[in-house]
Amino acid sequence: MKTYISPWPASVATPPFPRRLAILGATGSIGDSALKVVGKHPERFTVKALAGGRNGRKLAELCARFRPEYAAVLTDDARHEFLDNLPVGYAPELLVGPDAYIRLAVMDDVDMVLSSIVGAAGFAPTLAAAETGKMIALANKESLVLGGHLIREACRRTGAVILPVDSEHNALFQGLAGHGKDEELRRLILTASGGPFRGKSRAFLETVSRDQALAHPNWNMGAKISIDSATLMNKGLELIEACHLYGLPPEMVDVVVHPQSIVHSLVEYVDGSQLAHMGNPDMQVPIAHCLCYPERVTVDVPRLQLASVGTLTFEEPDLDAFPCLRLAREAFDAGPSHPIVLNAANEIAVDAFLNERIGFTDIPAIIEAGLDRHAPVDVSTPEAVLALDREVRRETEARL
């Protein structure tokens, strides 16, 4: 039997309610959705800690509502902004700096960590939570892209479990539930909306603007993940994430474009049947499933009315116009250091595009150039992973 870091095939011991919760990335879109779930079911949660990066004002507003004992920000500017906006008479312990996220993730009085930090910054706190045996609701796919091999090993040693928050991986998790025999599974099928440029030619993609790329047709997401969705890199990162979550080779994970975003992913078994997870595109659904696992709770999301949706369509991804998906698969096949290069080059390129320093089609070109230049290196320690990440970022920025 393979080693899984999502609780498939076996059930796992879960912390009792109310669960003591730390949310890393509380001021982002995932944090917003998570706190809607918490606010609807306050009897199920004690919010112990909220971390908000550089948005001190919003974090102070959230802390004033949920009253955690601990808060964290990344910078001194955010610290001042946070303190200036706290209500009189309330003073949570405030941690400052990148290590603050790690300190929150390993606290003894936290049962469950929601890791929703954007990008590679989520790797160290997620690994730290795994090292201390936490139950982790994971919305930071880059953690597994950078160091899935290390997180898997930490979970094996400590009994930590990852519950996948990404809508696609949560759909796979639910499709696998109760079907735990390796020999029964044929493949996993990730669905992709196709983003705002589905069906467009490479020539058209050379002309697109920042605002066009940010306009996702179905999901309300942050800027970085919106661009990743437009390039299909988001689906490439999810392919790597699925391989780590379920201990599967990449040839057992496929991608299909589904513009309506109603079917969130599918699991195919050896008898030819496919189990699909369906619902309106709203992140409260997978978040609530993870935070309250194994129980289900109500969420404020419109019910799916298939007759109103009408038609569901599916098509193969265009790998010529959107090569990032191909690059991700090739990077995973090449060994554990290549996905680190893939992710770091992508984050630098996306930031450059958002700041209008490069064009849209330059993003995959920059990533491919970085992968072509990379020779495999040993990344068997967290320090080696982070060192390679920093090196690739420096080199990519220098080439820009």
Side-chain angles (χ1 to χ4, degrees):
M1 186 65 71
K2 301 183 183 72
T3 300
Y4 308 95
I5 56 177
S6 283
W8 172 69
S11 60
V12 297
T14 57
F17 295 106
R19 289 178 178 167
R20 300 174 297 177
L21 181 64
I23 300 180
L24 312 182
T27 56
S29 61
I30 296 295
D32 286 341
S33 294
L35 289 171
K36 287 179 183 177
V37 174
V38 171
K40 187 172 178 63
H41 300 280
E43 74 285 354
R44 290 178 173 266
F45 303 100
T46 300
V47 179
K48 297 293 292 187
L50 295 176
R54 293 174 173 81
N55 196 339
R57 179 184 296 273
K58 183 173 181 179
L59 183 63
E61 294 170 355
L62 296 175
C63 286
R65 179 182 174 192
F66 292 96
R67 299 290 170 130
E69 296 177 33
Y70 304 91
V73 293
L74 287 177
T75 65
D76 283 334
D77 287 344
R79 177 175 67 86
H80 292 304
E81 188 178 58
F82 176 80
L83 294 174
D84 288 345
N85 287 278
L86 276 183
V88 176
Y90 167 58
E93 183 176 340
L94 179 62
L95 309 178
V96 182
D99 288 346
Y101 282 45
I102 296 174
R103 292 168 64 188
L104 295 185
V106 303
M107 287 169 41
D108 289 339
D109 51 354
V110 166
D111 302 314
M112 189 172 213
V113 176
L114 172 58
S115 179
S116 57
I117 309 163
V118 175
F123 166 65
T126 302
L127 178 60
E131 291 281 4
T132 49
K134 304 292 187 188
M135 178 164 278
I136 305 162
L138 184 65
N140 172 257
K141 61 181 67 66
E142 290 87 353
S143 295
L144 295 180
V145 173
L146 265 69
H149 55 299
L150 298 175
I151 292 173
R152 286 171 59 83
E153 171 59 20
C155 289
R156 185 194 64 77
R157 282 188 285 102
T158 68
V161 169
I162 288 181
L163 300 172
V165 168
D166 275 346
S167 61
E168 296 83 358
H169 297 90
N170 187 264
L172 296 175
F173 173 38
Q174 296 194 49
L176 288 164
H179 302 274
K181 295 180 180 179
D182 292 340
E183 62 272 16
E184 294 178 351
L185 178 66
R186 178 171 288 161
R187 60 174 175 153
L188 307 179
I189 306 170
L190 294 164
T191 56
S193 70
F197 306 131
R198 181 180 63 87
K200 301 299 185 182
S201 67
R202 287 182 64 90
F204 174 86
L205 296 177
E206 292 175 358
T207 71
V208 303
S209 70
R210 175 186 185 275
D211 290 342
Q212 287 176 300
L214 287 171
H216 196 281
N218 299 333
W219 294 92
N220 179 22
M221 305 179 292
K224 194 267 182 182
I225 193 172
S226 294
I227 302 304
D228 283 349
S229 179
T231 64
L232 288 194
M233 177 55 83
N234 191 48
K235 213 52 51 179
L237 299 177
E238 288 177 1
L239 184 150
I240 296 173
E241 182 182 11
C243 292
H244 283 303
L245 281 169
Y246 301 112
L248 298 174
E251 58 267 23
M252 290 183 68
V253 184
D254 287 337
V255 175
V256 64
V257 174
H258 169 53
Q260 295 81 22
S261 295
I262 296 298
V263 176
H264 298 302
S265 279
L266 309 95
V267 178
E268 180 175 298
Y269 292 96
V270 292
D271 60 3
S273 62
Q274 295 183 353
L275 299 187
H277 178 278
M278 303 173 69
N280 285 315
D282 192 303
M283 286 304 298
Q284 289 184 74
V285 176
I287 289 170
H289 182 258
C290 291
L291 294 187
C292 297
Y293 180 82
E295 299 181 16
R296 292 184 185 269
V297 297
T298 58
V299 291
D300 291 327
V301 175
R303 292 175 60 193
L304 176 62
Q305 303 290 347
L306 286 175
S308 299
V309 174
T311 302
L312 301 178
T313 61
F314 303 88
E315 60 197 60
E316 293 292 331
D318 182 352
L319 299 183
D320 291 328
F322 301 94
C324 284
L325 180 55
R326 169 182 58 82
L327 294 174
R329 192 180 289 276
E330 292 174 354
F332 187 83
D333 281 335
S337 65
H338 279 77
I340 301 169
V341 176
L342 174 93
N343 184 75
N346 178 63
E347 289 194 19
I348 295 297
V350 168
D351 183 73
F353 174 72
L354 287 170
N355 287 286
E356 300 180 323
R357 297 168 58 199
I358 63 173
F360 184 78
T361 55
D362 292 326
I363 297 174
I366 289 167
I367 297 166
E368 187 160 24
L371 288 170
D372 287 344
R373 276 188 288 268
H374 178 64
V377 297
D378 178 23
V379 287
S380 57
T381 66
E383 294 77 16
V385 168
L386 295 173
L388 178 58
D389 176 71
R390 290 191 296 268
E391 178 186 346
V392 174
R393 289 169 187 272
R394 285 194 300 267
E395 291 178 353
T396 306
E397 184 62 45
R399 289 196 297 273
L400 287 177

